[in-house]
Amino acid sequence: MTALDLSSPVAVVGTGTMGQGIAQVALVAGHRVRLYDALAGRAREAADAIGARLDRLVEKDRLTGAERDAARERLLPASDLSELADCSLVVEAVQERLDAKQDLFRALEGIVDEDCLLATNTSSLSVTAIAGALRHPGRFVGLHFFNPAPLLPLVEVVSGFATDVTSTTRAYEMARAWGKTPVACADTPGFIVNRIARPFYAEAFAVYEAQGADPATIDAILRESGGFRMGAFELTDLIGQDVNESVTHSVWQSFFQDVRFTPSLAQRRLVESGRLGRKSGHGWYDYADGADRPEPHTAEKAQPPAYVVAEGDLGPAGELLGLIREAGIQVREEEEDHGTRLVLPSGGQLALADGQTSVEFRDVVYFDLALDYRRATRIALSASQDTAPQTLAEATGLFQALGKDVSVIGDVPGMIVARTVARIVDLAHDAVAKGVATQEDIDTAMRLGVNYPLGPFEWSRRLGRNWAYALLDDLHLRDPSGRYAPSLALYRHAYASDKREGSQS
């Protein structure tokens, strides 16, 4: 079965920001759209607001005046649910309460035809649980649009436990016909994006709670080294701390309080204090007029070393050797079976974050993972109280000679970008192994849904099969709570690689 015919009316129930956005998407695609809201007058207000947005699209040359006028004629506010009887699709975007959604769909079942597709835009509730109230749950799907729906291309098409394949296919093809990029996923807490994105926030908050670095420094490292569009603190301020924490708490509870999804106490305190982010004027940052934005920690200028000794190829940071040579610093290479480090003239060592701590070794400075070491503008270094000042100075001067700002953080195992990426990769492998979605759909969802520079499997291929497992295994030894325990799926992935390589040697 293919997408809905354009002659088929579409209904949207709930006229908040998401409801209006979904209605606009269906309207611009060519459908007649009926808007309904339980509060009298809200549907008419929403129709007027959508009309104003259509006017702005004309001003930006994204719609012609004739297209706008035709769309307005197709947009009809409804004062009663019975006016949705002839619709072929009803999308719900009401409050995130299971009972409210179930009551709505029970009522709709007695109004619409049997072949009408019923869909929820829930981001945190179980599609299966909502459909559990229906006599015919096979026609019920999740259609999770991202805000703002007219602009963001991703739609998660979620199959509940009882959803018919034909219903999923209809919904998928319909989203594609509306100009969206659909991804298919099973009904799991958080679906794809909100499940796999949790470490991006959680690890940043954990580093802060451990006093490893301040929010401005962590955000700068995620942006300027990790290649993420925004850091975790500024992004949650934009989303709303209450909203972000609510999603985290929902995923954590839905996974039976799995320690991998444990909410942040620091974020809880922020919400309790009413500091919800931009919308309240203060979150992690102060948004009052004239308020100073804190600057990331940036190290003072240091003298670069005259040379470095490369033991091994530095693994995912191998491109650094070429950059060091280009900066006029001599690189002496030594063959090492297990070496992936640089030895500095002082005798201290510089190594890529691997899940261990600097204090465990004599005079080691760790540096963080970067999306692209050539294009990165900031590099994080990690040292302990026992690290020789000369070693840290040489490491700082080395990266400064490559044109990078340097941020020195605490002795944090796995640092910031490395541990974040490793956990994202792990959750992605776990999701595929449990049938949540395909590798391709997960990569698409994370790039389009939250603007990640790479999908988890793109990261995994770039970093090597064993990289994420080895880092998390080391982290797990230092924090045996289970938060960093690699999934069985990631273990199998890494072990299969080792086995194949061993059989070829």
Side-chain angles (χ1 to χ4, degrees), residues 382-402:
S382 174
S384 76
Q385 66 272 20
D386 295 329
T387 302
Q390 181 62 24
T391 298
L392 183 57
E394 288 177 343
T396 300
L398 174 66
F399 281 104
Q400 289 173 338
L402 306 187

Side-chain angles (χ1 to χ4, degrees), residues 133-218:
L134 302 181
R135 297 190 306 274
H136 304 290
R139 60 170 165 174
F140 191 83
V141 298
L143 280 176
H144 182 214
F145 289 78
F146 287 74
N147 190 32
L151 297 181
L152 294 186
L154 185 69
V155 177
E156 292 177 319
V157 181
V158 186
S159 297
F161 186 79
T163 303
D164 293 336
V165 173
T166 53
S167 298
T168 302
T169 303
R170 287 176 68 196
Y172 188 95
E173 293 301 329
M174 181 215 65
R176 188 155 59 181
W178 288 3
K180 297 301 180 182
T181 303
V183 292
C185 66
D187 183 22
T188 186
F191 308 142
I192 298 174
V193 173
N194 280 330
R195 172 180 178 155
I196 295 174
R198 296 346 293 166
F200 180 74
Y201 313 109
E203 293 312 306
F205 298 161
V207 172
Y208 167 75
E209 290 174 338
Q211 301 187 57
D214 61 275
T217 300
I218 295 169

Side-chain angles (χ1 to χ4, degrees), residues 425-460:
V425 167
D426 181 49
L427 290 185
H429 277 279
D430 185 53
V432 169
K434 292 177 178 172
V436 173
T438 65
Q439 290 189 14
E440 294 74 19
D441 276 354
I442 287 175
D443 277 353
T444 298
M446 302 313 292
R447 281 188 283 101
L448 298 184
V450 278
N451 288 313
Y452 282 7
L454 293 175
F457 293 97
E458 292 171 317
W459 270 112
S460 187

Side-chain angles (χ1 to χ4, degrees), residues 10-13 22 89-93 105 117 119-121 143 145 178:
V10 170
V12 177
V13 179
I22 295 167
L89 166 69
V90 180
V91 183
E92 161 274 315
F105 285 111
L117 191 64
T120 175
N121 183 58
L143 280 176
F145 289 78
W178 288 3

